[in-house]
Amino acid sequence: MNVNLVKIVSRPVMAMGACIALSACAFDPPTDPTSPLATRIQTIVDENREYPRWQDFPAPPENVPTPTYVRSAVQGLEGQQQTLNLQIAQIEWTLTEPAEEYIANIRQRMAADQVEAPTAQTPAEIEAFAAALRARAKAPPPVDRPLR
């Protein structure tokens, strides 16, 4: 068990070390002196060699809550939750009848008050209804305005 754990951990660490060693060469490549831009490239590299500087990094955040403050706030919320749970437990629920009877009672009351939507029964009534809607949908007449 321990041997497998050592193999599992050591292989990625060794691979990462090899990548770091190989990438060190990539960050300081030599400039080809025969290139026509060699002097310009070397000037730009020398000007920016010290970047990034510490003063270029953003300032650390201010007014960050401390761990003790966060802990006390969480404990306060948990206490409020316990108080709320106690208040909920003390509520006297009025729904004492079984759910099936309650649903049957509601369905019975709804069946007694059913209202049917008015519908057109014949094609003539449907056409008359459509004509009435078209008449209502017409734009109002234009308002007479004097010319300026």
Side-chain angles (χ1 to χ4, degrees), residues 119-131 134:
T119 58
Q121 299 296 323
T122 64
E125 290 176 341
I126 293 173
E127 289 300 323
F129 181 68
R134 282 189 213 101

Side-chain angles (χ1 to χ4, degrees), residues 2 18 21 23 36 40-42 44 53 76 78-79 94 101 113 123 137 139 145:
N2 290 340
S23 67
R40 178 72 178 131
I41 292 171
Q42 193 59 45
I44 293 173
R53 297 169 302 201
E78 288 174 348
T94 57
E101 291 178 23
D113 295 337
R145 296 186 183 170

Side-chain angles (χ1 to χ4, degrees), residues 79-96:
Q80 289 176 355
Q81 179 66 37
Q82 290 174 354
T83 304
L84 183 62
N85 287 341
L86 289 174
Q87 290 174 351
I88 290 171
Q90 293 173 356
I91 293 176
E92 291 183 22
W93 297 99
T94 57
L95 185 60
T96 55

Side-chain angles (χ1 to χ4, degrees), residues 56-140:
D56 295 335
F57 285 92
E62 297 177 2
N63 301 329
V64 177
T66 62
T68 54
Y69 172 78
V70 173
R71 184 183 314 115
S72 65
V74 168
Q75 288 173 347
L77 286 174
E78 288 174 348
Q80 289 176 355
Q81 179 66 37
Q82 290 174 354
T83 304
L84 183 62
N85 287 341
L86 289 174
Q87 290 174 351
I88 290 171
Q90 293 173 356
I91 293 176
E92 291 183 22
W93 297 99
T94 57
L95 185 60
T96 55
E97 60 185 310
E100 292 82 16
E101 291 178 23
Y102 184 73
I103 292 170
N105 185 10
I106 290 175
R107 286 185 178 148
Q108 200 174 35
R109 290 185 349 215
M110 287 176 59
D113 295 337
Q114 277 189 355
V115 176
E116 292 187 22
T119 58
Q121 299 296 323
T122 64
E125 290 176 341
I126 293 173
E127 289 300 323
F129 181 68
L133 288 179
R134 282 189 213 101
R136 288 182 58 195
K138 287 184 182 175

Side-chain angles (χ1 to χ4, degrees), residues 136-148:
R136 288 182 58 195
K138 287 184 182 175
V143 177
D144 292 331
R145 296 186 183 170
L147 297 174
R148 292 186 191 189

